[in-house]
Amino acid sequence: MTFDVGIVGAGPIGLATAAELLRRGRSVVIFDKGPIGRTIGWYPRGMRFNSSAGNLALLKMPVPAADGDKPTREEYLAYLRGFVRYFGIEVNTYEEVLRIDGDRGAFTLHTRKKSGINGSYQCRRVVLAVGSNEFARHLGIPGEDLPHVSHYFTDPHTYHGQRVVIVGGRNSAAEAAIRLTHLGAIVTLVHRRAEIDTSHFKYWIGPELIGMISRGRITANLDACVSRIDSQRVYFQRGDGTEGSVDCDFVLLLVGYVPDYRLIDQLGLDTQGEQRAPVFDADTLETTRPGVFCVGTIIAGDQNPYRVFIENALHHPKLVADTLDREMPITSS
């Protein structure tokens, strides 16, 4: 069987693209190397989105939120499961797309399932919805791979009563510092800049973080770059050249994430700028490889700071579907 569209990535915009194409009568196959909403599953338990429920709704299907405004990680994952059931999307979860061959009208997607079984699928068009948060950004310092060091903050309960050093100065680091302080952890924040720029924070995060620092509930080492980590301490160098260190039980390196460019590079897509954003047609989202589209946050490449979110990518599925309607009209039998 040849599918009209093969979609790589079953996050919110990938799923919305599949649903939009299915309701227009297209045949679709969609893959993800993990479960649906995989990277959202890495968010801390109980985390609330910055966006309101209305701004996170896919194809105008309402998002339930207990507080009536911003859904939690758990609520949005449940919403995605319901969205898949409602639109009848069959997702090939735990099946990674390794390589894409061919040209517009005749692509072959080569895959491997979690079991190790390989597969191949023929598709007329390809949509990359691979997101921008596939891999943690690494500092490249000694001790970064020690067992008490993590690039992911998932379960706050883990750190109750512990000395936790958090490295970073954006939303994820700030929110982790606040939540762990409330939980009873002893938190030290290390940030490479001389000031904490709250302009990119969720609006309720900045004032609380600054207040906790000013009252001494959170210790902040600013203008400090971590140089190494051992089993008991984090070592850093200040902007003035002096060195410092702090005791720790756990270390959270929350310095951001980067996209998976492997398929983008393998397909030979043009990218631009330091953030390596794919070059695409703004009216269609088609890339420089004919028949290959990018949707969702990957269109901005390595986002730092973030510019593209779920809420300002909600129109992407329609752009792709409209393009296919013009190029591949469905004729009634």
Side-chain angles (χ1 to χ4, degrees):
M1 175 181 178
T2 298
F3 294 91
D4 288 330
V5 184
I7 300 175
V8 184
I13 304 302
L15 293 173
T17 302
E20 181 65 32
L21 292 168
L22 285 169
R23 71 181 188 179
R24 296 197 191 197
R26 300 286 176 189
S27 57
V28 176
V29 59
I30 179 170
F31 304 90
D32 201 289
K33 66 178 70 174
I36 64 170
R38 179 169 50 91
T39 58
I40 293 173
W42 299 343
Y43 291 2
R45 289 185 174 89
M47 189 212 78
R48 291 199 177 277
F49 281 80
N50 189 27
S51 302
S52 67
N55 287 335
L56 292 169
L58 307 176
L59 275 57
K60 299 183 178 180
M61 178 175 168
V63 179
D67 75 347
D69 184 18
K70 294 175 172 57
T72 63
R73 160 197 180 273
E74 290 76 13
E75 288 171 332
Y76 200 65
L77 287 174
Y79 169 77
L80 293 180
R81 296 193 295 270
F83 184 87
V84 165
R85 289 193 299 271
Y86 181 81
F87 284 98
I89 306 170
E90 296 184 9
V91 186
N92 291 33
T93 53
Y94 300 97
E95 185 168 359
E96 181 177 7
V97 177
L98 303 174
R99 189 177 83 255
I100 301 174
D101 296 330
D103 296 299
R104 179 178 177 181
F107 291 105
T108 301
L109 278 64
H110 301 274
T111 69
R112 180 174 297 150
K113 297 182 180 180
K114 185 175 66 171
S115 62
I117 297 174
N118 294 328
S120 64
Y121 300 79
Q122 282 66 51
C123 305
R124 297 182 177 89
R125 300 290 189 274
V126 171
V127 174
L128 300 181
V130 295
S132 55
N133 290 333
E134 183 61 33
F135 302 118
R137 193 185 306 276
H138 285 255
L139 297 177
I141 58 172
E144 191 166 8
D145 58 351
L146 288 170
H148 67 299
V149 180
S150 177
H151 293 84
Y152 301 92
F153 173 51
T154 53
D155 189 352
H157 176 75
T158 304
Y159 307 101
H160 170 70
Q162 301 297 296
R163 297 169 299 178
V164 183
V165 176
I166 299 173
V167 181
R170 292 197 178 274
N171 255 308
S172 57
E175 190 162 6
I178 291 170
R179 291 189 66 183
L180 291 183
T181 300
H182 284 307
L183 194 74
I186 303 164
V187 175
T188 299
L189 187 67
V190 180
H191 182 39
R192 62 189 177 92
R193 300 193 184 279
E195 296 182 355
I196 296 175
D197 180 5
T198 61
S199 62
H200 298 291
F201 285 4
K202 300 173 184 178
Y203 69 84
W204 63 88
I205 293 292
E208 187 169 10
L209 177 68
I210 299 303
M212 284 184 162
I213 292 172
S214 65
R215 294 191 301 273
R217 297 189 66 193
I218 294 173
T219 300
N221 286 284
L222 304 180
D223 195 22
C225 292
V226 177
S227 55
R228 64 187 175 94
I229 303 168
D230 64 24
S231 60
Q232 300 180 66
R233 298 183 71 79
V234 173
Y235 299 84
F236 52 84
Q237 186 170 39
R238 302 182 183 92
D240 61 8
T242 61
E243 296 185 348
S245 65
V246 60
D247 292 333
C248 67
D249 297 305
F250 291 96
V251 183
L252 293 172
L253 301 178
L254 304 180
V255 293
Y257 304 91
V258 297
D260 185 349
Y261 284 102
R262 286 178 294 184
L263 289 178
I264 289 172
D265 291 337
Q266 184 260 310
L267 285 164
L269 306 188
D270 289 347
T271 61
Q272 58 187 346
E274 291 183 2
Q275 296 183 326
R276 294 200 62 206
V279 176
F280 60 91
D281 184 319
D283 295 324
T284 65
L285 300 182
E286 190 170 16
T287 66
T288 52
R289 178 78 176 262
V292 177
F293 301 78
C294 282
V295 301
T297 59
I298 188 57
I299 69 167
D302 179 2
Q303 301 197 63
N304 188 21
Y306 280 79
R307 297 184 295 107
V308 179
F309 306 88
I310 296 170
E311 65 183 67
N312 58 6
L314 294 175
H315 63 293
H316 291 180
K318 183 177 186 303
L319 291 180
V320 174
D322 287 348
T323 302
L324 266 62
D325 285 349
R326 291 191 297 269
E327 296 178 353
M328 299 165 47
I330 297 175
T331 58
S332 57
S333 56

